[in-house]
Amino acid sequence: MTHSFRSTAASLLATSAASLLAATPLPAAAAPANAPSHSAVETLYRTASVEGRKIFYREAGDRAAPTIVLLHGFPTSSHMYRDLIPALADKFHVIAPDYVGFGQSDAPSHTAFTYSFDNLTAHVDGLLNHLHLTSYILYMQDYGGPIGFRLFTAHPDRVKGFVIQNANAYLEGVGDKPKQVFLPLWNKRDAATETAARGFLKAETTQFQYMVGAKNPEAISPDNWVHDQSLLDRPGTDAYQLDLLENYKTNVALYDSWHAAFRKYQPKTLIVWGKADPFFIPAGAEAFKADLPNARLVWLEAGHFVLDENTPRVAEEIKASFAAQ
């Protein structure tokens, strides 16, 4: 009897409370200071077929705005730009592709596809043509440099500017450790030189690339190297990554022609450089000034990858240089 009474009372109280809540509008909760706006531009995740290969790309922003193409480095993908894309999309149309063999794009074996910087560039160029993009700014980091500079020399009329972030076009910018590993590989590829180069495919190297030069190590997301390494560790990936590490010598062979194109066309250039990068050292940033004397050089307290701690600063610098175009 007592139990029945309590159950009935509890049921009535619950019903009354539900009715009251339904009838009384709740006050609007104050949004946290850092909460994203509901009007923020979405990032879309898309694919296109280029020369029979699936190319994955991220896209955001108004296509009527200036386009900026974000070209990623090694060993990562467009994933490295996941925070920069929304930071730019209010002022730019943003495209960030994954190269063949990287990220979410097709990754054929090295016997089914010739992994070279010429071929990676051809597929990025094919994507941009597929999207009917004939005017864009290039943001280049690491491998993005030789891909972007090839695009520039092929289509100087299309490229409206450079954002260069730890991407080399000068031998002065190559650190001692890469020289010790890659000069022998470029001279003669054999078991010994491949073994040394494989050190760049190891998990500890991938993590080091993200952590080196960080102001606050706890601000660097482990998602970076966990994501990258999971893709590096796919069966067969080591073979084509070694092909690309060897093929990097073709970039060095093009340096003089790139410099001549810089001098001829003088693209507007912003350099944002992590000054603690042991791979692409500060001398590489300074070297651009010889051929691009009007380039703006911004030093960042960072290493090879800079965006975990510096995305707001980088976005601000890009907008200050290019948003008015």
Side-chain angles (χ1 to χ4, degrees):
M1 185 82 170
T2 303
H3 175 73
S4 174
F5 173 78
R6 287 176 178 171
S7 298
T8 303
S11 176
L12 288 171
L13 284 171
T15 303
S16 299
S19 300
L20 181 61
L21 287 170
T24 308
L26 292 173
N34 296 323
S37 166
H38 289 293
S39 63
V41 181
E42 288 184 313
T43 299
L44 304 175
Y45 305 93
R46 292 174 159 161
T47 62
S49 178
V50 178
E51 297 183 23
R53 303 291 181 190
K54 181 192 77 174
I55 302 298
F56 173 88
Y57 63 100
R58 302 169 194 243
E59 183 171 17
D62 184 350
R63 286 190 63 118
T67 296
I68 183 164
V69 180
L70 308 179
L71 299 173
H72 67 80
F74 165 86
T76 187
S77 63
S78 62
H79 178 258
M80 69 173 280
Y81 293 120
R82 62 195 180 279
D83 295 326
L84 185 62
I85 291 169
L88 294 176
D90 62 329
K91 297 292 185 182
F92 296 94
H93 171 230
V94 187
I95 295 289
D98 290 349
Y99 315 139
V100 176
F102 291 77
Q104 306 296 327
S105 289
D106 276 352
S109 73
H110 80 134
T111 57
F113 181 82
T114 300
Y115 281 88
S116 69
F117 283 88
D118 282 345
N119 261 352
L120 298 189
T121 304
H123 284 75
V124 173
D125 195 21
L127 174 66
L128 300 181
N129 289 333
H130 173 81
L131 298 175
H132 306 292
L133 297 175
T134 57
S135 175
Y136 40 79
I137 300 152
L138 296 174
Y139 184 118
M140 298 164 281
Q141 193 267 342
D142 191 80
Y143 276 14
I147 291 170
F149 297 139
R150 278 175 169 79
L151 289 172
F152 172 62
T153 53
H155 310 293
D157 55 317
R158 298 183 183 182
V159 177
K160 304 309 176 185
F162 295 157
V163 181
I164 301 169
Q165 189 253 295
N166 297 70
N168 257 333
Y170 299 85
L171 276 176
E172 296 95 314
V174 183
D176 288 338
K177 183 175 181 179
K179 283 180 182 176
Q180 292 166 8
V181 171
F182 297 122
L183 290 179
L185 179 70
W186 299 342
N187 183 54
K188 182 183 179 181
R189 183 173 175 179
D190 57 21
T193 58
E194 279 194 1
T195 297
R198 283 180 184 276
F200 276 79
L201 307 181
K202 292 182 177 179
E204 55 265 34
T205 306
T206 303
Q207 181 174 353
F208 175 77
Q209 290 190 70
Y210 281 102
M211 297 298 288
V212 64
K215 297 190 295 291
N216 177 10
E218 292 182 341
I220 309 303
S221 172
D223 293 345
N224 291 307
W225 56 85
V226 171
H227 177 275
D228 291 353
Q229 197 63 39
S230 68
L231 297 175
L232 276 181
D233 289 342
R234 291 178 297 184
T237 298
D238 61 334
Y240 68 71
Q241 291 293 356
L242 287 171
D243 288 347
L244 284 172
L245 291 173
E246 180 192 12
N247 189 254
Y248 200 93
K249 64 188 178 185
T250 65
N251 303 328
V252 178
L254 291 172
Y255 281 180
D256 286 346
S257 64
W258 295 347
H259 303 162
F262 298 164
R263 290 192 296 271
K264 178 177 179 180
Y265 295 104
Q266 292 295 307
K268 188 171 187 177
T269 300
L270 168 66
I271 304 169
V272 286
W273 202 277
K275 62 182 180 180
D277 187 350
F279 304 105
F280 290 172
I281 58 177
E286 297 280 6
F288 283 99
K289 299 281 283 183
D291 298 310
L292 296 167
N294 296 319
R296 173 168 164 73
L297 174 54
V298 177
W299 295 111
L300 300 173
E301 295 289 340
H304 191 61
F305 291 106
V306 308
L307 292 175
D308 277 63
E309 294 184 292
N310 293 282
T311 286
R313 174 74 186 280
V314 171
E316 175 186 309
E317 294 289 351
I318 291 171
K319 290 176 181 179
S321 293
F322 295 105
Q325 287 191 3

